[in-house]
mmCIF file of all heavy atoms in Angstrom:
data_model
loop_
_atom_site.group_PDB
_atom_site.id
_atom_site.type_symbol
_atom_site.label_atom_id
_atom_site.label_comp_id
_atom_site.label_asym_id
_atom_site.label_seq_id
_atom_site.Cartn_x
_atom_site.Cartn_y
_atom_site.Cartn_z
ATOM 1 N N LEU A 214 -13.729 -39.440 35.483
ATOM 2 C CA LEU A 214 -12.492 -40.386 35.189
ATOM 3 C C LEU A 214 -12.375 -40.608 33.748
ATOM 4 O O LEU A 214 -13.281 -40.610 32.996
ATOM 5 C CB LEU A 214 -12.756 -41.678 35.981
ATOM 6 C CG LEU A 214 -13.014 -41.579 37.529
ATOM 7 C CD1 LEU A 214 -13.123 -43.004 38.133
ATOM 8 C CD2 LEU A 214 -11.920 -40.790 38.193
ATOM 9 N N ALA A 215 -11.167 -40.978 33.389
ATOM 10 C CA ALA A 215 -10.858 -41.253 31.940
ATOM 11 C C ALA A 215 -11.517 -42.537 31.556
ATOM 12 O O ALA A 215 -11.746 -43.494 32.401
ATOM 13 C CB ALA A 215 -9.312 -41.452 31.822
ATOM 14 N N ARG A 216 -11.908 -42.673 30.286
ATOM 15 C CA ARG A 216 -12.703 -43.755 29.825
ATOM 16 C C ARG A 216 -11.815 -44.703 28.998
ATOM 17 O O ARG A 216 -12.440 -45.741 28.466
ATOM 18 C CB ARG A 216 -13.844 -43.225 28.952
ATOM 19 C CG ARG A 216 -14.858 -42.439 29.773
ATOM 20 C CD ARG A 216 -16.097 -42.096 28.935
ATOM 21 N NE ARG A 216 -15.793 -41.301 27.742
ATOM 22 C CZ ARG A 216 -16.682 -41.087 26.757
ATOM 23 N NH1 ARG A 216 -17.825 -41.718 26.719
ATOM 24 N NH2 ARG A 216 -16.235 -40.277 25.722
ATOM 25 N N ARG A 217 -10.583 -44.551 28.997
ATOM 26 C CA ARG A 217 -9.632 -45.475 28.252
ATOM 27 C C ARG A 217 -8.349 -45.750 29.047
ATOM 28 O O ARG A 217 -7.765 -44.859 29.601
ATOM 29 C CB ARG A 217 -9.322 -44.901 26.954
ATOM 30 C CG ARG A 217 -8.406 -45.872 25.992
ATOM 31 C CD ARG A 217 -8.177 -45.354 24.653
ATOM 32 N NE ARG A 217 -7.388 -46.321 23.804
ATOM 33 C CZ ARG A 217 -7.050 -46.090 22.602
ATOM 34 N NH1 ARG A 217 -7.359 -44.925 22.007
ATOM 35 N NH2 ARG A 217 -6.256 -46.901 21.936
ATOM 36 N N ILE A 218 -7.965 -47.051 29.058
ATOM 37 C CA ILE A 218 -6.782 -47.495 29.667
ATOM 38 C C ILE A 218 -6.023 -48.362 28.752
ATOM 39 O O ILE A 218 -6.637 -49.364 28.262
ATOM 40 C CB ILE A 218 -6.983 -48.161 31.030
ATOM 41 C CG1 ILE A 218 -7.361 -47.167 32.090
ATOM 42 C CG2 ILE A 218 -5.543 -48.740 31.491
ATOM 43 C CD1 ILE A 218 -7.487 -47.798 33.506
ATOM 44 N N SER A 219 -4.879 -48.045 28.274
ATOM 45 C CA SER A 219 -4.019 -48.985 27.531
ATOM 46 C C SER A 219 -2.737 -49.319 28.386
ATOM 47 O O SER A 219 -2.181 -48.439 28.957
ATOM 48 C CB SER A 219 -3.543 -48.399 26.212
ATOM 49 O OG SER A 219 -4.687 -48.066 25.417
ATOM 50 N N HIS A 220 -2.410 -50.607 28.421
ATOM 51 C CA HIS A 220 -1.304 -50.915 29.337
ATOM 52 C C HIS A 220 -0.658 -52.229 28.928
ATOM 53 O O HIS A 220 -1.301 -53.165 28.272
ATOM 54 C CB HIS A 220 -1.882 -51.167 30.812
ATOM 55 C CG HIS A 220 -0.896 -51.310 31.903
ATOM 56 N ND1 HIS A 220 -0.156 -50.322 32.356
ATOM 57 C CD2 HIS A 220 -0.505 -52.460 32.496
ATOM 58 C CE1 HIS A 220 0.690 -50.737 33.244
ATOM 59 N NE2 HIS A 220 0.482 -52.062 33.286
ATOM 60 N N GLU A 221 0.637 -52.292 29.132
ATOM 61 C CA GLU A 221 1.422 -53.549 28.931
ATOM 62 C C GLU A 221 2.104 -53.901 30.218
ATOM 63 O O GLU A 221 2.636 -53.027 30.867
ATOM 64 C CB GLU A 221 2.272 -53.389 27.783
ATOM 65 C CG GLU A 221 1.722 -53.338 26.392
ATOM 66 C CD GLU A 221 2.814 -53.436 25.301
ATOM 67 O OE1 GLU A 221 3.927 -53.564 25.544
ATOM 68 O OE2 GLU A 221 2.280 -53.311 24.100
ATOM 69 N N MET A 222 2.230 -55.215 30.433
ATOM 70 C CA MET A 222 2.905 -55.699 31.750
ATOM 71 C C MET A 222 3.382 -57.098 31.654
ATOM 72 O O MET A 222 2.812 -57.823 30.816
ATOM 73 C CB MET A 222 1.972 -55.514 32.932
ATOM 74 C CG MET A 222 0.743 -56.268 32.868
ATOM 75 S SD MET A 222 -0.419 -56.124 34.222
ATOM 76 C CE MET A 222 0.480 -56.965 35.491
ATOM 77 N N GLU A 223 4.298 -57.463 32.371
ATOM 78 C CA GLU A 223 4.793 -58.810 32.503
ATOM 79 C C GLU A 223 3.960 -59.603 33.466
ATOM 80 O O GLU A 223 3.613 -59.073 34.541
ATOM 81 C CB GLU A 223 6.241 -58.891 32.945
ATOM 82 C CG GLU A 223 7.272 -58.383 31.903
ATOM 83 C CD GLU A 223 7.353 -59.286 30.697
ATOM 84 O OE1 GLU A 223 7.160 -60.528 30.864
ATOM 85 O OE2 GLU A 223 7.457 -58.734 29.589
ATOM 86 N N VAL A 224 3.579 -60.885 33.119
ATOM 87 C CA VAL A 224 2.689 -61.686 33.994
ATOM 88 C C VAL A 224 3.615 -62.917 34.353
ATOM 89 O O VAL A 224 4.100 -63.595 33.396
ATOM 90 C CB VAL A 224 1.438 -62.084 33.246
ATOM 91 C CG1 VAL A 224 0.704 -63.074 34.074
ATOM 92 C CG2 VAL A 224 0.547 -60.816 32.908
ATOM 93 N N ASP A 225 3.757 -63.133 35.583
ATOM 94 C CA ASP A 225 4.327 -64.424 36.067
ATOM 95 C C ASP A 225 3.351 -65.535 36.028
ATOM 96 O O ASP A 225 2.298 -65.394 36.523
ATOM 97 C CB ASP A 225 4.934 -64.285 37.541
ATOM 98 C CG ASP A 225 6.129 -63.307 37.538
ATOM 99 O OD1 ASP A 225 6.881 -63.129 36.579
ATOM 100 O OD2 ASP A 225 6.245 -62.585 38.588
ATOM 101 N N LEU A 226 3.713 -66.683 35.400
ATOM 102 C CA LEU A 226 2.838 -67.772 35.226
ATOM 103 C C LEU A 226 3.133 -68.758 36.328
ATOM 104 O O LEU A 226 4.360 -69.017 36.700
ATOM 105 C CB LEU A 226 3.015 -68.429 33.886
ATOM 106 C CG LEU A 226 2.760 -67.483 32.713
ATOM 107 C CD1 LEU A 226 3.113 -68.152 31.356
ATOM 108 C CD2 LEU A 226 1.286 -67.049 32.622
ATOM 109 N N HIS A 227 2.132 -69.530 36.790
ATOM 110 C CA HIS A 227 2.296 -70.587 37.756
ATOM 111 C C HIS A 227 3.178 -71.745 37.097
ATOM 112 O O HIS A 227 2.961 -71.992 35.908
ATOM 113 C CB HIS A 227 1.051 -71.195 38.213
ATOM 114 C CG HIS A 227 0.004 -70.179 38.877
ATOM 115 N ND1 HIS A 227 0.563 -69.206 39.756
ATOM 116 C CD2 HIS A 227 -1.238 -70.024 38.896
ATOM 117 C CE1 HIS A 227 -0.487 -68.530 40.219
ATOM 118 N NE2 HIS A 227 -1.646 -69.031 39.640
ATOM 119 N N GLN A 228 4.043 -72.271 37.941
ATOM 120 C CA GLN A 228 5.017 -73.226 37.397
ATOM 121 C C GLN A 228 4.173 -74.603 37.044
ATOM 122 O O GLN A 228 4.638 -75.294 36.173
ATOM 123 C CB GLN A 228 6.055 -73.591 38.419
ATOM 124 C CG GLN A 228 6.959 -72.387 38.687
ATOM 125 C CD GLN A 228 7.732 -71.968 37.444
ATOM 126 O OE1 GLN A 228 8.265 -72.702 36.768
ATOM 127 N NE2 GLN A 228 7.620 -70.667 37.139
ATOM 128 N N HIS A 229 3.090 -74.832 37.738
ATOM 129 C CA HIS A 229 2.367 -76.082 37.482
ATOM 130 C C HIS A 229 0.826 -75.782 37.359
ATOM 131 O O HIS A 229 0.347 -74.763 37.882
ATOM 132 C CB HIS A 229 2.468 -77.089 38.535
ATOM 133 C CG HIS A 229 4.012 -77.414 38.838
ATOM 134 N ND1 HIS A 229 4.731 -78.175 38.013
ATOM 135 C CD2 HIS A 229 4.861 -77.062 39.822
ATOM 136 C CE1 HIS A 229 5.940 -78.347 38.399
ATOM 137 N NE2 HIS A 229 6.087 -77.620 39.532
ATOM 138 N N GLY A 230 0.141 -76.530 36.453
ATOM 139 C CA GLY A 230 -1.311 -76.350 36.381
ATOM 140 C C GLY A 230 -1.653 -75.237 35.407
ATOM 141 O O GLY A 230 -0.818 -74.747 34.620
ATOM 142 N N ASP A 231 -2.941 -74.841 35.493
ATOM 143 C CA ASP A 231 -3.532 -73.869 34.624
ATOM 144 C C ASP A 231 -3.310 -72.363 35.133
ATOM 145 O O ASP A 231 -3.215 -72.186 36.358
ATOM 146 C CB ASP A 231 -4.950 -74.082 34.456
ATOM 147 C CG ASP A 231 -5.362 -75.371 33.773
ATOM 148 O OD1 ASP A 231 -4.335 -75.953 33.103
ATOM 149 O OD2 ASP A 231 -6.367 -75.787 33.825
ATOM 150 N N ASN A 232 -3.212 -71.472 34.210
ATOM 151 C CA ASN A 232 -3.308 -70.072 34.527
ATOM 152 C C ASN A 232 -4.474 -69.562 33.721
ATOM 153 O O ASN A 232 -4.585 -69.720 32.419
ATOM 154 C CB ASN A 232 -2.011 -69.311 33.971
ATOM 155 C CG ASN A 232 -0.749 -69.818 34.741
ATOM 156 O OD1 ASN A 232 -0.337 -69.186 35.752
ATOM 157 N ND2 ASN A 232 -0.183 -70.893 34.240
ATOM 158 N N GLN A 233 -5.409 -68.782 34.360
ATOM 159 C CA GLN A 233 -6.544 -68.312 33.617
ATOM 160 C C GLN A 233 -6.346 -66.739 33.752
ATOM 161 O O GLN A 233 -6.677 -66.158 34.835
ATOM 162 C CB GLN A 233 -7.882 -68.664 34.322
ATOM 163 C CG GLN A 233 -8.052 -70.134 34.281
ATOM 164 C CD GLN A 233 -7.783 -70.735 35.689
ATOM 165 O OE1 GLN A 233 -8.248 -70.261 36.638
ATOM 166 N NE2 GLN A 233 -7.220 -71.887 35.689
ATOM 167 N N ILE A 234 -5.796 -66.095 32.729
ATOM 168 C CA ILE A 234 -5.554 -64.709 32.745
ATOM 169 C C ILE A 234 -6.661 -63.882 32.178
ATOM 170 O O ILE A 234 -7.080 -64.107 31.058
ATOM 171 C CB ILE A 234 -4.211 -64.385 31.923
ATOM 172 C CG1 ILE A 234 -3.120 -65.337 32.324
ATOM 173 C CG2 ILE A 234 -3.872 -62.907 32.030
ATOM 174 C CD1 ILE A 234 -2.715 -65.181 33.875
#
Side-chain angles (χ1 to χ4, degrees):
L214 306 180
R216 296 189 295 167
R217 181 177 182 180
I218 292 181
S219 298
H220 189 75
E221 292 189 359
M222 59 180 290
E223 291 293 325
V224 175
D225 292 325
L226 301 174
H227 299 324
Q228 295 299 310
H229 304 286
D231 294 342
N232 297 263
Q233 303 102 42
I234 309 301

